């Protein structure tokens, strides 16, 4: 990679307006990329990749390479047409420089192709540039290699030709600014999930990810993956349902476009034998976690076409219960992808599509195609309807079980579980509930805690694997019942959003042993939260405690260690590298720590580290949980060893 020349201040200072835009991005980065932690850091990559995806969608680029370099800079290369380099008549600057240094100058030069992708914030590559200590772009175009360098978002010299080439494309390398981001280290798995998702959403585009920080032990080559999907959404659904049993062999595929040709709709769906509704939706390649008009259009069409078919075939005659919309989606995995020219995003996390016309567009395309499908495949149609009926019956049974639990709870002093050591504060914002594995650790935690705001719920028996159990069964499990009642959320397992108003603790901390059993319990709990208390994770209430693995002692010195590296460093510094000079205690379980130690290392808000659980890619999380909690032991073990990769932010 070439060295970056020194800045030429006369040049970069010449345009005041440009400076203002860029300075504002640097001053208020969160306004542009959401946050300056891990999420924002990774969004920088998505923003650059999205431009290459656009170029691929316009039919020009076929290959996109993403490289994590040794120094945690990122290089993105595509084989598209290359960003134009000619001089913009009015501005007197190259198009490249405008794209790189002006906010919102992104797609202005190309009126024919309409920009459909865009990161969550869709802020453009100039923001990435502004938030980078330095950045370098090479454009391969018109037989030449053009190059320009930037520092903190400003060009430091004019674009220049540095060589000849017979290829076309764009290569961007950027170094996220350490004075802006709180984390600078990229996570391979996080980037891999997003790039895999993009490959499924944009069939035929080959996306590679290479990690130069990590060399393969055998070959000495960097580690990496290639993401490529010929089948697009069909393959995406198969990938998600790999560990589930399908009700039909091939997913149902639907694609269409509205009358004026501006809003393409694509969808693949498959019924499986599980009880889960598993719909993932995208608008312009952005995951719409909160759904929106495209999803509601789909649901309406699905209910209507299946109901029509059932009536026509007389399949619902014997039913004693009413059927709800949910029943038509039990065990359904579906990916909906729409492209909308001017998407309106609403909702708490701005991931809900608001454009009202999209609902009708999706509805009519889906309705027509599903009705056709059912006519053509009557055996599958009947199988699906049988499942819908079973769901309606089970839903009624579950309702009775839930009501029984709620009635019983009402009878016992506020309904709180007997094992819960409650805290004295009634301010939910400051209250924390520790879910602790086993009675002995529970006992330590009860002594260790600050009883004002920390409550302890020891978990004794086995937690039900909700991935495999029918929803009506979750209330039969003592431990789950205790968690649910302790939290104070009245409508778990019911339709609609969780009612978090009565949530009694704003921090829910999973505290398990640092061994295989502990990981297993943690995974079971995360599965419960992911499937039944999703909004809690989404709202950032779920955390994982980080107890230390070792205590290294020498004389009066004591040092806790959280990783193998910590331990080696402690031996180096305390025992001058001689392990025999120090005492090392390995904590196999929380029960081995006395209450003081537990407080000092794991529970004291001033000193502890908690991992906040977040979900970047819902589709990937679903894949993980279905693999993890399914029948196969191998993937579960592998996962547990690699540890929870959907647990992201350290706080
Ligand atoms: C506008 C016009 C043209 C290409 C691009 C943008 C473009 C941008 C990026 C960003 C990353 N890779 C890219 N590849 C292409 C082409 C206009 C023309 O050639 O007529």
């Amino acid at each position: 990679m070439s060295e970056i020349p020194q800045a030429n201040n006369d040049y970069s200072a010449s345009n005041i307006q440009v400076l203002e835009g860029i300075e504002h991005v640097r001053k208020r980065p969160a306004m542009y990329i959401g946050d300056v932690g891990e999420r924002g850091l990774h969004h920088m990559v998505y923003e650059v990749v999205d431009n290459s995806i656009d170029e691929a969608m316009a039919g020009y680029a076929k290959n996109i390479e993403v490289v994590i370099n040794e120094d945690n800079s990122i290089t993105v290369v595509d084989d598209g047409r290359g960003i134009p380099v000619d001089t913009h008549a009015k501005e007197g600057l190259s198009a490249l420089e405008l794209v790189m240094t002006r906010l919102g100058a992104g797609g202005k030069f190309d009126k024919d192709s309409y920009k459909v992708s865009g990161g969550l914030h869709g802020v453009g590559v100039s923001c990435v540039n502004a938030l980078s200590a330095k950045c370098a772009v090479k454009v391969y175009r018109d037989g030449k290699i053009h190059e320009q360098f930037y520092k903190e978002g400003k060009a430091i010299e004019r674009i220049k030709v540095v060589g000849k080439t017979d290829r076309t494309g764009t290569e961007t390398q950027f170094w996220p600014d350490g004075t802006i981001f709180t984390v600078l280290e990229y996570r391979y798995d996080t980037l891999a999930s997003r790039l895999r998702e993009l490959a499924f959403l944009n069939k035929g585009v080959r996306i590679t990810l290479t990690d130069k920080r990590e060399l393969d032990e055998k070959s000495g080559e960097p580690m990496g993956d290639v993401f490529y999907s010929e089948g697009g959404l069909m393959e995406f659904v198969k990938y998600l349902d790999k560990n589930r049993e399908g009700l039909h062999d091939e997913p149902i595929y639907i694609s269409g476009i509205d009358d004026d040709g501006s809003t393409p709709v694509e969808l693949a769906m498959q019924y499986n034998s599980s009880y889960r509704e598993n719909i993932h939706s995208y608008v312009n390649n952005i995951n719409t976690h909160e759904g929106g008009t495209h999803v509601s259009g789909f649901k309406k069409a699905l209910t209507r076409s299946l109901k029509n078919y059932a009536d026509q075939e007389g399949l619902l005659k014997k039913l004693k219960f009413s059927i709800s919309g949910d029943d038509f989606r039990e065990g359904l995995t579906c990916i909906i992808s729409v492209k909308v020219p001017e998407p309106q995003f609403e909702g708490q996390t701005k991931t809900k599509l608001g454009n009202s016309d999209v609902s009708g567009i999706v509805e009519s395309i889906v309705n027509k195609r599903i009705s056709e499908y059912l006519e053509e495949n009557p055996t599958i149609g009947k199988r699906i309807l049988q499942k819908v009926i079973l769901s309606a019956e089970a839903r009624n049974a579950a309702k009775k079980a839930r009501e029984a639990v709620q009635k019983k709870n009402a009878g016992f002093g506020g309904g709180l579980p007997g094992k819960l050591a409650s805290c004295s504060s009634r301010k939910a914002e400051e209250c924390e509930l520790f879910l602790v594995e086993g009675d002995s650790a529970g006992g330590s935690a009860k002594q260790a805690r600050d009883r004002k705001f920390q409550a302890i719920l020891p978990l004794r028996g086995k937690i039900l694997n909700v991935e495999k159990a029918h929803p009506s069964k979750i209330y039969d499990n003592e431990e789950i019942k205790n968690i649910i009642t302790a939290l104070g959320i009245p409508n778990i397992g019911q339709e609609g959003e969780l009612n978090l108003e009565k949530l009694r603790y704003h921090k829910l901390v999973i505290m398990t042993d640092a061994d295989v059993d502990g990981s297993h319990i943690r995974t079971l709990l995360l599965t419960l939260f992911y499937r039944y208390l999703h909004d809690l994770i989404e709202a950032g209430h779920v955390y994982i405690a980080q107890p230390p693995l070792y205590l290294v002692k020498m004389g009066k010195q004591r040092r806790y260690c959280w990783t193998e590296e910590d331990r080696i460093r402690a031996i180096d510094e305390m025992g001058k590298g001689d392990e025999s000079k120090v005492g090392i205690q390995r904590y196999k379980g929380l029960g081995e720590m006395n209450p003081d130690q537990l407080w000092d290392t794991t529970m004291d808000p001033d000193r502890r580290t908690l991992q906040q659980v977040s979900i970047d890619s819902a589709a990937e999380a679903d894949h993980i949980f279905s693999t993890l909690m399914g029948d196969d032991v191998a993937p579960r073990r592998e996962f547990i060893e690699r540890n929870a990769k959907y647990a992201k932010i350290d706080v």
Side-chain angles (χ1 to χ4, degrees):
M1 218 51 64
S2 9
E3 268 302 299
I4 298 220
Q6 285 299 301
N8 172 341
N9 289 326
D10 295 346
Y11 175 62
S12 56
S14 67
N15 194 313
I16 306 291
Q17 200 215 323
V18 174
L19 288 183
E20 277 180 352
I22 295 301
E23 291 309 336
H24 195 253
V25 177
R26 291 181 58 82
K27 220 189 257 166
R28 298 257 178 283
M31 271 179 62
Y32 296 87
I33 50 156
D35 70 58
V36 291
E38 219 170 278
R39 216 168 245 213
L41 183 78
H42 289 79
H43 267 136
M44 299 271 278
V45 183
Y46 308 152
E47 202 59 55
V48 177
V49 170
D50 282 338
N51 291 303
S52 299
I53 292 278
D54 276 341
E55 187 66 1
M57 289 297 93
Y60 299 101
K62 291 259 174 302
N63 297 284
I64 301 172
E65 285 170 38
V66 179
V67 181
I68 312 171
N69 299 299
E70 288 97 323
D71 59 358
N72 269 297
S73 69
I74 296 284
T75 305
V76 178
V77 191
D78 70 49
D79 57 355
R81 290 166 294 177
I83 300 178
V85 290
D86 48 315
T87 307
H88 191 269
K90 217 170 92 212
E91 304 283 350
L93 292 175
S94 71
L96 173 69
E97 184 168 340
L98 291 171
V99 168
M100 293 304 296
T101 60
R102 297 262 173 115
L103 297 186
K108 272 187 197 161
F109 307 96
D110 200 3
K111 291 185 194 69
D112 301 333
S113 88
Y114 80 118
K115 183 177 164 64
V116 288
S117 74
L120 179 57
H121 302 275
V123 289
V125 71
S126 57
C127 282
V128 176
N129 193 15
L131 300 174
S132 296
K134 48 185 187 168
C135 178
V137 179
K138 278 202 186 94
V139 173
Y140 299 80
R141 208 182 147 96
D142 311 324
K144 296 180 206 131
I145 307 172
H146 312 260
E147 191 170 41
Q148 191 168 34
F149 296 101
Y150 315 85
K151 183 171 180 268
E152 297 172 0
K154 297 160 216 161
I156 56 177
E157 58 168 22
R158 287 233 152 81
I159 186 170
K160 60 180 191 273
V161 172
V162 293
K164 283 190 196 163
T165 181
D166 51 15
R167 53 164 290 202
T168 63
T170 305
E171 175 176 330
T172 309
Q173 185 177 13
F174 63 93
W175 288 256
D177 193 330
T179 66
I180 288 173
F181 290 96
T182 56
V183 220
L184 290 173
E185 194 177 329
Y186 278 102
R187 279 190 200 243
Y188 185 87
D189 288 342
T190 303
L191 293 179
S193 299
R194 174 59 180 158
L195 297 179
R196 177 183 299 111
E197 184 174 67
L198 281 172
F200 281 131
L201 291 169
N202 301 281
K203 60 182 165 212
V205 185
R206 183 177 302 274
I207 308 176
T208 62
L209 175 62
T210 308
D211 192 346
K212 289 200 170 162
R213 301 168 304 181
E214 208 174 319
L215 302 181
D216 184 69
E217 276 175 25
K218 283 196 206 111
S219 67
E221 293 290 310
M223 305 287 270
D225 279 298
V226 180
F227 303 109
Y228 174 80
S229 172
E230 189 85 49
L233 300 191
M234 286 286 263
E235 279 176 23
F236 200 170
V237 165
K238 287 185 189 170
Y239 170 78
L240 292 176
D241 273 6
K242 200 166 72 194
N243 293 291
R244 300 188 177 108
E245 194 189 323
L247 248 57
H248 43 108
D249 291 336
E250 283 293 299
I252 304 169
Y253 179 78
I254 301 175
S255 86
I257 196 156
D258 62 321
D259 290 339
D260 59 20
S262 68
T263 309
V265 175
E266 215 196 334
L267 179 158
M269 56 183 257
Q270 159 111 339
Y271 280 94
N272 59 62
S273 63
S274 85
Y275 314 110
R276 213 68 58 196
E277 170 181 328
N278 192 14
I279 300 177
H280 301 282
S281 63
Y282 297 85
V283 174
N284 304 346
N285 288 331
I286 302 162
N287 192 180
T288 34
H289 289 266
E290 298 172 279
T293 50
H294 51 333
V295 177
S296 61
F298 164 72
K299 288 180 177 174
K300 266 189 232 160
L302 183 74
T303 303
R304 185 144 65 104
S305 52
L306 281 173
K307 217 170 191 163
N308 276 347
Y309 178 75
D311 286 340
Q312 200 181 301
E313 301 291 316
L315 298 171
L316 300 180
K317 274 188 286 196
K318 279 181 279 174
L319 201 68
K320 293 190 200 74
F321 311 114
S322 66
I323 298 196
S324 85
D326 283 0
D327 297 326
F328 290 96
R329 301 188 297 274
E330 191 180 278
L332 175 69
T333 296
C334 175
I335 308 277
I336 308 171
S337 172
V338 300
K339 303 276 160 80
V340 180
E342 283 179 45
Q344 242 75 62
F345 291 111
E346 305 170 346
Q348 285 211 313
T349 52
K350 292 271 175 284
T351 56
K352 182 175 185 180
L353 183 68
N355 305 49
S356 55
D357 55 327
V358 177
S359 177
I361 294 171
V362 175
E363 189 180 344
S364 80
I365 291 170
V366 174
N367 199 22
K368 182 158 168 288
R369 182 67 194 109
I370 294 189
S371 301
E372 280 168 11
Y373 181 91
L374 294 169
E375 293 296 331
E376 289 160 12
N377 302 278
T379 326
I380 297 174
K382 295 207 174 67
R383 216 179 288 156
I384 293 173
L385 261 300
Q386 269 163 12
K387 181 160 173 73
V388 172
I389 292 167
L390 279 177
S391 163
E393 287 172 0
R395 189 171 47 80
N396 277 280
K399 188 163 166 245
K400 280 192 193 130
R402 187 168 58 234
E403 282 165 358
V405 171
Q406 280 159 358
K407 216 190 222 150
K408 199 171 134 224
N409 286 337
F412 287 99
L416 290 176
K419 293 197 295 172
L420 174 74
S422 210
C423 56
S424 58
S425 166
R426 288 287 166 267
K427 285 192 208 120
E429 310 81 69
E430 66 175 14
C431 291
E432 304 178 344
L433 176 64
F434 283 79
L435 302 175
V436 186
E437 168 188 3
D439 277 337
S440 88
S444 279
K446 279 182 196 176
Q447 291 178 54
R449 69 181 174 139
D450 183 333
R451 56 189 325 125
K452 179 161 181 278
F453 65 96
Q454 293 180 321
I456 310 291
L457 182 65
L459 301 170
R460 193 181 308 142
K462 221 168 157 23
I463 294 143
L464 182 75
N465 178 356
V466 299
E467 191 66 32
K468 290 209 258 173
H470 190 273
S472 61
K473 292 279 179 268
I474 72 162
Y475 287 91
D476 294 349
N477 184 265
E478 216 38 56
E479 302 303 318
I480 292 181
K481 229 168 12 188
N482 285 342
I483 295 170
I484 291 175
T485 31
L487 287 176
I489 301 172
N491 65 336
I492 292 170
Q494 292 171 53
E495 224 171 321
E497 283 175 22
L498 283 183
N499 177 0
L500 297 183
E501 273 165 41
K502 295 219 172 86
L503 179 66
R504 300 173 60 231
Y505 309 92
H506 278 203
K507 280 205 173 79
L508 197 61
V509 186
I510 301 173
M511 190 158 78
T512 55
D513 289 345
D515 60 8
V516 175
D517 276 350
S519 306
H520 190 208
I521 293 171
R522 180 171 63 229
T523 314
L524 288 166
L525 284 169
L526 285 170
T527 310
L528 170 72
F529 293 142
Y530 183 69
R531 296 300 185 194
Y532 286 91
L533 293 154
H534 200 96
D535 298 347
L536 268 192
I537 300 183
E538 206 70 70
H541 292 306
V542 182
Y543 297 82
I544 298 170
Q546 308 280 296
L549 292 179
Y550 303 99
L551 174 62
V552 179
K553 296 188 249 190
M554 198 176 98
K556 284 215 170 92
Q557 281 186 70
R558 295 257 179 297
R559 197 135 118 206
Y560 295 104
C561 301
W562 273 261
T563 61
E564 206 52 38
E565 291 93 73
D566 279 354
R567 186 182 70 104
I568 292 166
R569 206 175 313 125
I571 297 170
D572 270 355
E573 290 171 19
M574 291 163 73
K576 304 274 177 285
D578 185 350
E579 203 169 319
S580 66
K581 287 200 196 141
V582 297
I584 302 176
Q585 184 183 355
R586 183 180 146 77
Y587 293 122
K588 290 202 206 68
L590 297 163
E592 293 177 20
M593 269 185 261
N594 65 39
D596 283 348
Q597 291 175 323
L598 193 58
W599 168 256
D600 290 350
T601 58
T602 315
M603 295 178 73
D604 176 5
D606 291 335
R607 283 176 290 175
R608 71 185 179 196
T609 304
L610 293 181
Q611 236 188 344
Q612 189 174 38
V613 178
S614 71
I615 296 161
D616 267 350
S617 162
E620 188 60 17
D622 172 71
H623 178 72
I624 292 170
F625 280 114
S626 66
T627 311
L628 211 54
M629 307 321 274
D631 295 319
D632 243 357
V633 180
R636 172 156 60 230
R637 182 166 311 138
E638 188 203 352
F639 176 84
I640 286 171
E641 278 158 14
R642 290 169 57 152
N643 217 332
K645 70 173 163 189
Y646 40 83
K648 290 282 157 54
I649 313 155
D650 290 341
V651 289

